Amino acid sequence: MNIKSLLLGSAAALIAVSGARAADAVVVAEPEPAEYVRICDVYGAGYFYIPGTETCLRIGGYLRYDIGIGDREGTRDVIDVRNGGLNDTYYKQARFAFKTWTGQETELGTLKTYTETRINFGNTVIGGYNDAHNKGISLNFAWVQLGGLRIGKDESAFDTFSGYAGNVIDDTIVGYGDFDTNLISYTFDAGNGFSAIVSLEQGEGIYTIDSYMPHVVLGAKYAQGWGGVVGVVGYDSASEEWAGKVRVDVNAGDQLELFVMGGYGTEKHFTRNFYKQWDGNWAIWGGGTYNINDKTSLNAQLSYDEGKTFGLAANVAYTIVPGFTITAEVDYFNRSASDYHGKDDGVGGILRFQRNF
């Protein structure tokens, strides 16, 4: 009996322990499904959906290295206080630019943002020394746009709506407008080639507004397959001066693109303002691009103003591999003696290496 009781008791104990262990067993949770990055092709190549949102993001930028020589691009005839002589050397600058784009469709239209931050290292003349140094970080673009409404840091609509003065590096031998500004702008696009813009701007530097009255830009454009016509007018509220530009672009075949642009501005109180950056009342720019093939293009620009400044810039841009371009440019300027400056001329050049990503 004792042996039988012992066996029965042992069996009961084993069953109880087994039941307890079964009750305490660890249950492994099923893994949540992974959310992989999804490609967003609504706004072009390079966008992807930010996980957990309907916002599309693109990240990019470029790395650039410039070598400048000569009378305009080089740093010349500078008194170097270390040796008491003239300093004549290259102008060199390295730049890293970081860009972001976002896009999202809403009931009020497309919601977009764009940012561009630049970091530069190069040589400039400071206190008689022509030394290379870090030039700091600049915020060049930081705007948000909903439909046609844009708010933030941008370049002036006086320049962006009419377009830059050719595909050359030194396109401001005769200046065609200041660039950096905070703004609030609205662009109307009729969808048939016609568009119009109004932009309220702060200006920058000595051209910053000094009251609650902003600078104002108005513009209208008509673009078709053959080219386009655009006109802009800008009012500098601080100087109470006006300036305007009219531009015509022509696509003269599959390989050749031409443009001509004329500007006129007032000089009632000041010879220059935020929009009129040329000397005298009027100025003219012209030039074009000839695409030799998919990798090589020739670009040129000529400019002249009433202040007797003549500029010529021409380059060859060659894409070695997709995303990496080398541009070799030659620039010439001639300033005849006028009410704005003395006589001066010179030749310079720039060799640019740029990797876009």
Side-chain angles (χ1 to χ4, degrees):
M1 293 295 293
N2 290 336
I3 294 175
K4 183 178 181 180
S5 298
L6 180 61
L7 291 174
L8 291 174
S10 299
L14 289 172
I15 293 173
V17 170
S18 299
R21 289 181 176 176
D24 294 338
V26 177
V27 179
V28 179
E30 291 291 331
E32 294 184 2
E35 184 175 0
Y36 296 99
V37 174
R38 295 180 296 152
I39 300 299
C40 174
D41 56 5
V42 178
Y43 309 107
Y47 284 87
F48 59 90
Y49 285 99
I50 299 175
T53 75
E54 293 302 315
T55 299
C56 298
L57 171 66
R58 177 186 169 193
I59 298 173
Y62 62 85
L63 185 65
R64 172 189 295 174
Y65 186 63
D66 287 342
I67 303 173
I69 59 173
D71 297 320
R72 182 173 172 87
E73 286 73 21
T75 53
R76 62 176 181 120
D77 296 345
V78 177
I79 298 296
D80 192 327
V81 299
R82 290 168 294 192
N83 56 33
L86 293 179
N87 188 307
D88 189 2
T89 187
Y90 297 100
Y91 167 80
K92 292 188 177 182
Q93 175 164 282
R95 171 185 292 176
F96 171 67
F98 179 73
K99 303 180 181 181
T100 67
W101 300 258
T102 68
Q104 180 180 343
E105 296 305 308
T106 75
E107 63 274 15
L108 297 179
T110 304
L111 178 61
K112 299 179 180 180
T113 68
Y114 174 64
T115 69
E116 182 176 334
T117 303
R118 299 174 184 173
I119 305 173
N120 296 300
F121 180 91
N123 57 322
T124 53
V125 179
I126 298 177
Y129 292 88
N130 183 28
D131 293 341
H133 61 279
N134 277 305
K135 298 180 178 180
I137 300 175
S138 62
L139 181 65
N140 293 79
F141 297 90
W143 50 255
V144 58
Q145 180 172 322
L146 179 60
L149 179 65
R150 179 177 295 185
I151 301 173
K153 168 65 176 64
D154 200 357
E155 292 183 337
S156 172
F158 191 74
D159 301 315
T160 58
F161 194 73
S162 61
Y164 303 118
N167 295 322
V168 294
I169 298 172
D170 193 357
D171 64 345
T172 57
I173 296 177
V174 173
Y176 55 92
D178 208 331
F179 292 88
D180 292 326
T181 183
N182 288 314
L183 58 73
I184 300 174
S185 69
Y186 184 81
T187 301
F188 169 76
D189 189 344
N192 59 358
F194 176 79
S195 59
I197 192 171
V198 55
S199 182
L200 307 179
E201 304 182 349
Q202 183 186 25
E204 62 98 19
I206 63 173
Y207 304 112
T208 304
I209 59 174
D210 58 5
S211 69
Y212 289 103
M213 175 63 185
H215 304 323
V216 181
V217 175
L218 300 174
K221 180 187 299 183
Y222 183 70
Q224 293 293 321
W226 56 265
V229 179
V230 58
V232 291
V233 60
Y235 175 68
D236 185 318
S237 66
S239 65
E240 298 181 346
E241 301 282 2
W242 293 85
K245 293 182 296 188
V246 175
R247 173 174 176 148
V248 178
D249 288 270
V250 177
N251 298 322
D254 296 334
Q255 295 176 287
L256 182 61
E257 303 169 3
L258 301 172
F259 83 94
V260 61
M261 181 169 66
Y264 183 87
T266 61
E267 292 186 342
K268 295 180 180 179
H269 310 288
F270 300 91
T271 58
R272 291 195 179 188
N273 61 66
F274 186 58
Y275 303 111
K276 192 186 81 66
Q277 290 290 300
W278 55 89
D279 292 328
N281 292 118
W282 58 265
I284 189 169
W285 305 260
T289 294
Y290 181 74
N291 297 299
I292 299 176
N293 50 47
D294 293 340
K295 289 189 172 185
T296 310
S297 65
L298 303 177
N299 306 282
Q301 184 231 70
L302 294 92
S303 55
Y304 188 75
D305 64 22
E306 190 181 22
K308 299 181 181 179
T309 294
F310 171 76
L312 170 62
N315 68 45
V316 178
Y318 178 69
T319 301
I320 298 179
V321 294
F324 184 38
T325 301
I326 296 179
T327 304
E329 177 167 305
V330 176
D331 303 312
Y332 170 75
F333 71 92
N334 183 292
R335 298 186 181 95
S336 298
S338 71
D339 295 336
Y340 301 91
H341 46 68
K343 181 178 177 58
D344 189 20
D345 63 2
V347 178
I350 302 174
L351 184 62
R352 170 170 291 178
F353 303 85
Q354 183 160 321
R355 166 68 166 107
N356 297 311
F357 59 91

CSV table of all heavy atoms in Angstrom, one decimal, residues 165 170-176 245 259-264 272 276-287 301-313 332-341 344:
chain,number,residue,atom,x,y,z
A,165,ALA,N,19.9,85.4,-66.7
A,165,ALA,CA,20.4,86.0,-68.0
A,165,ALA,C,21.4,85.0,-68.6
A,165,ALA,O,22.6,85.3,-68.8
A,165,ALA,CB,21.1,87.3,-67.7
A,170,ASP,N,29.2,83.7,-64.9
A,170,ASP,CA,29.3,85.1,-64.6
A,170,ASP,C,28.2,85.9,-65.4
A,170,ASP,O,28.5,86.5,-66.4
A,170,ASP,CB,30.7,85.6,-64.8
A,170,ASP,CG,30.9,87.0,-64.2
A,170,ASP,OD1,29.9,87.5,-63.6
A,170,ASP,OD2,32.0,87.5,-64.3
A,171,ASP,N,27.0,85.8,-65.0
A,171,ASP,CA,25.9,86.4,-65.7
A,171,ASP,C,25.5,87.8,-65.3
A,171,ASP,O,24.5,88.4,-65.7
A,171,ASP,CB,24.6,85.5,-65.7
A,171,ASP,CG,24.0,85.3,-64.3
A,171,ASP,OD1,24.7,85.7,-63.3
A,171,ASP,OD2,22.9,84.9,-64.2
A,172,THR,N,26.3,88.3,-64.3
A,172,THR,CA,26.0,89.6,-63.7
A,172,THR,C,27.1,90.7,-64.0
A,172,THR,O,27.3,91.6,-63.2
A,172,THR,CB,25.7,89.5,-62.2
A,172,THR,OG1,26.8,88.9,-61.6
A,172,THR,CG2,24.4,88.7,-62.0
A,173,ILE,N,27.8,90.6,-65.1
A,173,ILE,CA,28.7,91.6,-65.4
A,173,ILE,C,27.9,92.9,-65.5
A,173,ILE,O,28.4,94.0,-65.0
A,173,ILE,CB,29.5,91.3,-66.8
A,173,ILE,CG1,30.3,90.1,-66.6
A,173,ILE,CG2,30.3,92.5,-67.2
A,173,ILE,CD1,31.0,89.6,-67.8
A,174,VAL,N,26.8,92.9,-66.2
A,174,VAL,CA,25.8,93.9,-66.0
A,174,VAL,C,24.6,93.3,-65.2
A,174,VAL,O,24.0,92.4,-65.7
A,174,VAL,CB,25.3,94.4,-67.4
A,174,VAL,CG1,24.1,95.4,-67.3
A,174,VAL,CG2,26.4,95.0,-68.2
A,175,GLY,N,24.5,93.8,-64.0
A,175,GLY,CA,23.5,93.2,-63.1
A,175,GLY,C,22.1,93.4,-63.5
A,175,GLY,O,21.8,94.5,-64.1
A,176,TYR,N,21.3,92.4,-63.3
A,176,TYR,CA,19.9,92.5,-63.7
A,176,TYR,C,18.9,92.4,-62.6
A,176,TYR,O,17.7,92.1,-62.8
A,176,TYR,CB,19.6,91.5,-64.8
A,176,TYR,CG,19.9,90.0,-64.4
A,176,TYR,CD1,18.9,89.2,-63.8
A,176,TYR,CD2,21.1,89.5,-64.7
A,176,TYR,CE1,19.2,87.9,-63.5
A,176,TYR,CE2,21.4,88.2,-64.3
A,176,TYR,CZ,20.5,87.4,-63.8
A,176,TYR,OH,20.8,86.1,-63.4
A,245,LYS,N,11.6,94.8,-66.7
A,245,LYS,CA,12.3,94.0,-67.7
A,245,LYS,C,11.3,93.4,-68.6
A,245,LYS,O,10.2,92.9,-68.2
A,245,LYS,CB,13.2,93.0,-67.1
A,245,LYS,CG,14.4,93.5,-66.3
A,245,LYS,CD,15.2,92.4,-65.8
A,245,LYS,CE,14.5,91.5,-64.8
A,245,LYS,NZ,15.4,90.5,-64.1
A,259,PHE,N,17.7,84.1,-76.4
A,259,PHE,CA,16.9,85.0,-75.6
A,259,PHE,C,17.5,86.4,-75.8
A,259,PHE,O,18.7,86.6,-76.1
A,259,PHE,CB,16.9,84.6,-74.1
A,259,PHE,CG,18.1,85.1,-73.4
A,259,PHE,CD1,18.1,86.3,-72.7
A,259,PHE,CD2,19.3,84.4,-73.4
A,259,PHE,CE1,19.2,86.8,-72.0
A,259,PHE,CE2,20.4,84.8,-72.7
A,259,PHE,CZ,20.4,86.0,-72.0
A,260,VAL,N,16.6,87.4,-75.6
A,260,VAL,CA,17.0,88.8,-75.5
A,260,VAL,C,16.1,89.4,-74.4
A,260,VAL,O,14.9,89.2,-74.3
A,260,VAL,CB,16.8,89.5,-76.8
A,260,VAL,CG1,15.4,89.5,-77.3
A,260,VAL,CG2,17.4,91.0,-76.7
A,261,MET,N,16.7,90.3,-73.6
A,261,MET,CA,16.0,90.9,-72.4
A,261,MET,C,16.5,92.4,-72.3
A,261,MET,O,17.7,92.7,-72.4
A,261,MET,CB,16.4,90.1,-71.1
A,261,MET,CG,15.7,90.7,-69.9
A,261,MET,SD,15.8,89.5,-68.5
A,261,MET,CE,17.6,89.6,-68.2
A,262,GLY,N,15.5,93.2,-72.2
A,262,GLY,CA,15.8,94.6,-72.0
A,262,GLY,C,15.3,95.1,-70.6
A,262,GLY,O,14.2,94.7,-70.2
A,263,GLY,N,16.0,96.1,-70.0
A,263,GLY,CA,15.6,96.6,-68.7
A,263,GLY,C,15.6,98.1,-68.7
A,263,GLY,O,16.4,98.8,-69.4
A,264,TYR,N,14.6,98.7,-68.0
A,264,TYR,CA,14.6,100.2,-67.8
A,264,TYR,C,14.2,100.5,-66.4
A,264,TYR,O,13.4,99.8,-65.8
A,264,TYR,CB,13.5,100.8,-68.7
A,264,TYR,CG,13.5,102.3,-68.7
A,264,TYR,CD1,14.4,103.1,-69.4
A,264,TYR,CD2,12.7,103.0,-67.8
A,264,TYR,CE1,14.4,104.4,-69.4
A,264,TYR,CE2,12.7,104.3,-67.7
A,264,TYR,CZ,13.5,105.1,-68.5
A,264,TYR,OH,13.5,106.4,-68.4
A,272,ARG,N,20.9,103.3,-58.1
A,272,ARG,CA,20.5,101.9,-58.1
A,272,ARG,C,19.5,101.6,-57.0
A,272,ARG,O,19.4,102.4,-56.0
A,272,ARG,CB,21.8,101.1,-57.9
A,272,ARG,CG,22.8,101.1,-59.0
A,272,ARG,CD,23.8,99.9,-58.9
A,272,ARG,NE,24.7,99.9,-60.0
A,272,ARG,CZ,25.6,99.0,-60.2
A,272,ARG,NH1,25.7,97.9,-59.4
A,272,ARG,NH2,26.4,99.0,-61.3
A,276,LYS,N,16.9,97.6,-60.0
A,276,LYS,CA,17.7,98.2,-61.0
A,276,LYS,C,19.2,98.2,-60.6
A,276,LYS,O,19.7,99.0,-59.9
A,276,LYS,CB,17.3,99.6,-61.3
A,276,LYS,CG,18.0,100.2,-62.6
A,276,LYS,CD,17.7,101.6,-62.9
A,276,LYS,CE,18.6,102.5,-62.1
A,276,LYS,NZ,20.1,102.4,-62.5
A,277,GLN,N,19.9,97.1,-61.0
A,277,GLN,CA,21.3,96.9,-60.6
A,277,GLN,C,22.3,97.3,-61.7
A,277,GLN,O,23.4,97.0,-61.6
A,277,GLN,CB,21.5,95.5,-60.2
A,277,GLN,CG,20.8,95.1,-58.8
A,277,GLN,CD,21.5,95.8,-57.7
A,277,GLN,OE1,22.7,95.6,-57.4
A,277,GLN,NE2,20.8,96.6,-57.0
A,278,TRP,N,21.8,97.9,-62.8
A,278,TRP,CA,22.6,98.3,-63.9
A,278,TRP,C,22.8,99.8,-63.8
A,278,TRP,O,22.1,100.5,-63.0
A,278,TRP,CB,22.0,97.9,-65.2
A,278,TRP,CG,20.6,98.4,-65.4
A,278,TRP,CD1,20.2,99.6,-65.9
A,278,TRP,CD2,19.3,97.7,-65.1
A,278,TRP,NE1,18.8,99.8,-66.0
A,278,TRP,CE2,18.3,98.6,-65.5
A,278,TRP,CE3,19.1,96.5,-64.6
A,278,TRP,CZ2,16.9,98.2,-65.3
A,278,TRP,CZ3,17.7,96.1,-64.4
A,278,TRP,CH2,16.7,97.0,-64.8
A,279,ASP,N,23.8,100.3,-64.5
A,279,ASP,CA,24.1,101.8,-64.5
A,279,ASP,C,23.4,102.5,-65.6
A,279,ASP,O,23.3,102.0,-66.8
A,279,ASP,CB,25.6,102.0,-64.7
A,279,ASP,CG,26.4,101.5,-63.5
A,279,ASP,OD1,25.9,101.6,-62.4
A,279,ASP,OD2,27.6,101.0,-63.8
A,280,GLY,N,22.7,103.6,-65.3
A,280,GLY,CA,21.9,104.3,-66.2
A,280,GLY,C,20.5,103.8,-66.2
A,280,GLY,O,20.1,102.9,-65.4
A,281,ASN,N,19.7,104.4,-67.1
A,281,ASN,CA,18.3,104.0,-67.1
A,281,ASN,C,18.0,102.7,-67.8
A,281,ASN,O,17.1,101.9,-67.3
A,281,ASN,CB,17.4,105.1,-67.8
A,281,ASN,CG,17.4,106.4,-67.1
A,281,ASN,OD1,17.8,107.4,-67.5
A,281,ASN,ND2,16.8,106.4,-65.9
A,282,TRP,N,18.8,102.4,-68.8
A,282,TRP,CA,18.5,101.1,-69.6
A,282,TRP,C,19.6,100.2,-69.6
A,282,TRP,O,20.8,100.6,-69.4
A,282,TRP,CB,18.0,101.5,-71.0
A,282,TRP,CG,19.0,102.3,-71.8
A,282,TRP,CD1,19.1,103.7,-71.9
A,282,TRP,CD2,20.1,101.8,-72.5
A,282,TRP,NE1,20.1,104.0,-72.7
A,282,TRP,CE2,20.8,102.9,-73.1
A,282,TRP,CE3,20.6,100.5,-72.8
A,282,TRP,CZ2,21.9,102.8,-73.9
A,282,TRP,CZ3,21.7,100.4,-73.6
A,282,TRP,CH2,22.3,101.5,-74.1
A,283,ALA,N,19.3,98.9,-69.9
A,283,ALA,CA,20.3,97.9,-70.1
A,283,ALA,C,19.7,96.8,-71.0
A,283,ALA,O,18.5,96.7,-71.2
A,283,ALA,CB,20.8,97.3,-68.8
A,284,ILE,N,20.6,96.0,-71.6
A,284,ILE,CA,20.1,94.9,-72.5
A,284,ILE,C,21.1,93.7,-72.4
A,284,ILE,O,22.3,93.9,-72.1
A,284,ILE,CB,20.1,95.4,-74.0
A,284,ILE,CG1,19.4,94.4,-74.9
A,284,ILE,CG2,21.5,95.8,-74.5
A,284,ILE,CD1,19.1,94.9,-76.3
A,285,TRP,N,20.5,92.6,-72.4
A,285,TRP,CA,21.2,91.3,-72.3
A,285,TRP,C,20.7,90.4,-73.5
A,285,TRP,O,19.5,90.4,-73.9
A,285,TRP,CB,20.9,90.6,-71.0
A,285,TRP,CG,21.2,91.4,-69.8
A,285,TRP,CD1,22.3,91.3,-69.0
A,285,TRP,CD2,20.4,92.4,-69.2
A,285,TRP,NE1,22.2,92.2,-68.0
A,285,TRP,CE2,21.0,92.8,-68.0
A,285,TRP,CE3,19.1,92.9,-69.5
A,285,TRP,CZ2,20.5,93.8,-67.2
A,285,TRP,CZ3,18.6,93.9,-68.7
A,285,TRP,CH2,19.3,94.3,-67.6
A,286,GLY,N,21.6,89.5,-74.0
A,286,GLY,CA,21.2,88.6,-75.0
A,286,GLY,C,22.1,87.4,-75.0
A,286,GLY,O,23.3,87.5,-74.6
A,287,GLY,N,21.7,86.3,-75.6
A,287,GLY,CA,22.6,85.2,-75.7
A,287,GLY,C,21.8,83.9,-76.0
A,287,GLY,O,20.6,84.0,-76.5
A,301,GLN,N,26.6,84.9,-73.4
A,301,GLN,CA,25.8,86.0,-73.0
A,301,GLN,C,26.5,87.3,-73.3
A,301,GLN,O,27.7,87.4,-73.0
A,301,GLN,CB,25.4,86.0,-71.6
A,301,GLN,CG,24.5,87.1,-71.1
A,301,GLN,CD,25.0,87.8,-69.9
A,301,GLN,OE1,25.9,88.6,-69.9
A,301,GLN,NE2,24.3,87.6,-68.8
A,302,LEU,N,25.9,88.3,-73.9
A,302,LEU,CA,26.4,89.6,-74.1
A,302,LEU,C,25.5,90.6,-73.3
A,302,LEU,O,24.3,90.4,-73.3
A,302,LEU,CB,26.4,90.0,-75.6
A,302,LEU,CG,27.4,89.3,-76.5
A,302,LEU,CD1,26.7,88.1,-77.1
A,302,LEU,CD2,28.0,90.2,-77.6
A,303,SER,N,26.1,91.7,-72.8
A,303,SER,CA,25.3,92.6,-72.0
A,303,SER,C,25.9,94.0,-72.2
A,303,SER,O,27.1,94.2,-72.4
A,303,SER,CB,25.2,92.3,-70.5
A,303,SER,OG,26.5,92.1,-70.0
A,304,TYR,N,25.0,95.1,-72.0
A,304,TYR,CA,25.5,96.4,-72.2
A,304,TYR,C,24.5,97.3,-71.5
A,304,TYR,O,23.3,97.0,-71.5
A,304,TYR,CB,25.6,96.8,-73.6
A,304,TYR,CG,26.3,98.2,-73.8
A,304,TYR,CD1,27.6,98.4,-73.7
A,304,TYR,CD2,25.5,99.3,-74.2
A,304,TYR,CE1,28.2,99.6,-73.8
A,304,TYR,CE2,26.1,100.5,-74.4
A,304,TYR,CZ,27.5,100.7,-74.2
A,304,TYR,OH,28.1,101.9,-74.4
A,305,ASP,N,25.0,98.4,-70.8
A,305,ASP,CA,24.0,99.3,-70.2
A,305,ASP,C,24.4,100.8,-70.5
A,305,ASP,O,25.4,101.0,-71.2
A,305,ASP,CB,24.0,99.1,-68.7
A,305,ASP,CG,25.3,99.4,-68.0
A,305,ASP,OD1,26.1,100.2,-68.5
A,305,ASP,OD2,25.5,98.9,-66.8
A,306,GLU,N,23.5,101.7,-70.1
A,306,GLU,CA,23.7,103.1,-70.4
A,306,GLU,C,24.9,103.7,-69.8
A,306,GLU,O,25.5,104.7,-70.3
A,306,GLU,CB,22.4,103.9,-70.0
A,306,GLU,CG,22.4,105.3,-70.5
A,306,GLU,CD,21.2,106.1,-70.1
A,306,GLU,OE1,20.6,105.7,-69.1
A,306,GLU,OE2,20.9,107.1,-70.7
A,307,GLY,N,25.4,103.0,-68.7
A,307,GLY,CA,26.6,103.5,-68.0
A,307,GLY,C,27.9,103.1,-68.8
A,307,GLY,O,29.0,103.2,-68.2
A,308,LYS,N,27.7,102.5,-70.0
A,308,LYS,CA,28.9,102.1,-70.8
A,308,LYS,C,29.7,100.9,-70.3
A,308,LYS,O,30.9,100.9,-70.4
A,308,LYS,CB,29.8,103.3,-71.1
A,308,LYS,CG,29.1,104.5,-71.8
A,308,LYS,CD,30.0,105.6,-72.0
A,308,LYS,CE,29.3,106.8,-72.7
A,308,LYS,NZ,30.3,107.9,-73.0
A,309,THR,N,29.0,100.0,-69.7
A,309,THR,CA,29.6,98.7,-69.3
A,309,THR,C,29.2,97.6,-70.3
A,309,THR,O,28.0,97.4,-70.6
A,309,THR,CB,29.2,98.3,-67.9
A,309,THR,OG1,29.7,99.2,-66.9
A,309,THR,CG2,29.7,96.9,-67.6
A,310,PHE,N,30.2,97.0,-70.9
A,310,PHE,CA,30.0,95.9,-71.8
A,310,PHE,C,30.5,94.6,-71.2
A,310,PHE,O,31.6,94.6,-70.7
A,310,PHE,CB,30.7,96.2,-73.2
A,310,PHE,CG,30.7,95.0,-74.1
A,310,PHE,CD1,29.5,94.6,-74.8
A,310,PHE,CD2,31.8,94.2,-74.2
A,310,PHE,CE1,29.5,93.5,-75.6
A,310,PHE,CE2,31.8,93.1,-75.1
A,310,PHE,CZ,30.6,92.8,-75.8
A,311,GLY,N,29.7,93.5,-71.3
A,311,GLY,CA,30.1,92.2,-70.8
A,311,GLY,C,29.9,91.1,-71.8
A,311,GLY,O,29.0,91.1,-72.6
A,312,LEU,N,30.9,90.2,-71.8
A,312,LEU,CA,30.8,89.0,-72.7
A,312,LEU,C,31.2,87.8,-71.9
A,312,LEU,O,32.3,87.8,-71.3
A,312,LEU,CB,31.7,89.2,-73.9
A,312,LEU,CG,31.9,87.9,-74.8
A,312,LEU,CD1,30.5,87.4,-75.3
A,312,LEU,CD2,32.9,88.1,-75.9
A,313,ALA,N,30.4,86.8,-71.8
A,313,ALA,CA,30.7,85.5,-71.1
A,313,ALA,C,30.3,84.4,-72.0
A,313,ALA,O,29.3,84.4,-72.7
A,313,ALA,CB,29.9,85.4,-69.8
A,332,TYR,N,34.8,88.6,-70.4
A,332,TYR,CA,35.4,89.9,-70.7
A,332,TYR,C,34.5,91.0,-70.3
A,332,TYR,O,33.3,91.0,-70.5
A,332,TYR,CB,35.7,89.9,-72.2
A,332,TYR,CG,36.1,91.3,-72.7
A,332,TYR,CD1,37.4,91.8,-72.4
A,332,TYR,CD2,35.3,92.1,-73.4
A,332,TYR,CE1,37.8,93.0,-72.9
A,332,TYR,CE2,35.7,93.4,-73.8
A,332,TYR,CZ,36.9,93.8,-73.6
A,332,TYR,OH,37.3,95.1,-74.0
A,333,PHE,N,35.1,92.1,-69.7
A,333,PHE,CA,34.3,93.3,-69.4
A,333,PHE,C,35.1,94.5,-69.9
A,333,PHE,O,36.3,94.5,-69.9
A,333,PHE,CB,34.0,93.4,-67.9
A,333,PHE,CG,35.2,93.7,-67.0
A,333,PHE,CD1,35.5,95.0,-66.7
A,333,PHE,CD2,36.0,92.6,-66.6
A,333,PHE,CE1,36.6,95.3,-65.9
A,333,PHE,CE2,37.1,92.9,-65.8
A,333,PHE,CZ,37.4,94.2,-65.4
A,334,ASN,N,34.3,95.6,-70.2
A,334,ASN,CA,34.9,96.8,-70.6
A,334,ASN,C,34.0,97.9,-70.1
A,334,ASN,O,32.8,98.0,-70.4
A,334,ASN,CB,35.0,96.9,-72.1
A,334,ASN,CG,35.7,98.2,-72.6
A,334,ASN,OD1,35.1,99.3,-72.4
A,334,ASN,ND2,36.9,98.1,-73.1
A,335,ARG,N,34.6,98.8,-69.2
A,335,ARG,CA,33.8,99.9,-68.7
A,335,ARG,C,34.4,101.2,-69.2
A,335,ARG,O,35.6,101.6,-68.9
A,335,ARG,CB,33.8,99.9,-67.2
A,335,ARG,CG,33.2,98.7,-66.5
A,335,ARG,CD,33.1,98.9,-65.0
A,335,ARG,NE,32.5,97.8,-64.4
A,335,ARG,CZ,33.2,96.7,-63.9
A,335,ARG,NH1,34.5,96.7,-63.9
A,335,ARG,NH2,32.6,95.7,-63.3
A,336,SER,N,33.7,101.9,-70.1
A,336,SER,CA,34.2,103.2,-70.6
A,336,SER,C,33.9,104.2,-69.5
A,336,SER,O,33.0,104.1,-68.7
A,336,SER,CB,33.5,103.5,-71.9
A,336,SER,OG,33.8,102.6,-72.9
A,337,ALA,N,34.7,105.3,-69.5
A,337,ALA,CA,34.5,106.3,-68.5
A,337,ALA,C,33.1,106.9,-68.7
A,337,ALA,O,32.7,107.3,-69.8
A,337,ALA,CB,35.6,107.4,-68.7
A,338,SER,N,32.4,107.1,-67.6
A,338,SER,CA,31.0,107.6,-67.6
A,338,SER,C,30.8,108.3,-66.3
A,338,SER,O,31.7,108.4,-65.4
A,338,SER,CB,30.0,106.5,-67.8
A,338,SER,OG,29.9,105.7,-66.7
A,339,ASP,N,29.5,108.7,-66.1
A,339,ASP,CA,29.2,109.4,-64.8
A,339,ASP,C,29.1,108.4,-63.7
A,339,ASP,O,29.1,108.8,-62.5
A,339,ASP,CB,27.8,110.0,-64.9
A,339,ASP,CG,27.8,111.2,-65.9
A,339,ASP,OD1,28.8,111.7,-66.2
A,339,ASP,OD2,26.7,111.5,-66.5
A,340,TYR,N,29.2,107.1,-64.0
A,340,TYR,CA,29.1,106.0,-62.9
A,340,TYR,C,30.4,105.4,-62.5
A,340,TYR,O,30.5,104.9,-61.4
A,340,TYR,CB,28.1,104.9,-63.4
A,340,TYR,CG,26.8,105.4,-63.8
A,340,TYR,CD1,26.5,105.9,-65.1
A,340,TYR,CD2,25.8,105.5,-62.8
A,340,TYR,CE1,25.2,106.3,-65.4
A,340,TYR,CE2,24.5,106.0,-63.2
A,340,TYR,CZ,24.2,106.4,-64.4
A,340,TYR,OH,23.0,106.9,-64.8
A,341,HIS,N,31.4,105.4,-63.4
A,341,HIS,CA,32.7,104.8,-63.1
A,341,HIS,C,33.8,105.3,-64.1
A,341,HIS,O,33.5,105.9,-65.1
A,341,HIS,CB,32.6,103.3,-63.2
A,341,HIS,CG,31.8,102.8,-64.4
A,341,HIS,ND1,32.3,102.9,-65.7
A,341,HIS,CD2,30.6,102.2,-64.5
A,341,HIS,CE1,31.4,102.4,-66.5
A,341,HIS,NE2,30.4,102.0,-65.9
A,344,ASP,N,37.9,101.0,-67.4
A,344,ASP,CA,38.5,99.8,-66.9
A,344,ASP,C,38.1,98.6,-67.8
A,344,ASP,O,37.0,98.6,-68.4
A,344,ASP,CB,38.1,99.5,-65.5
A,344,ASP,CG,38.8,98.3,-64.8
A,344,ASP,OD1,39.9,98.0,-65.4
A,344,ASP,OD2,38.3,97.7,-63.9
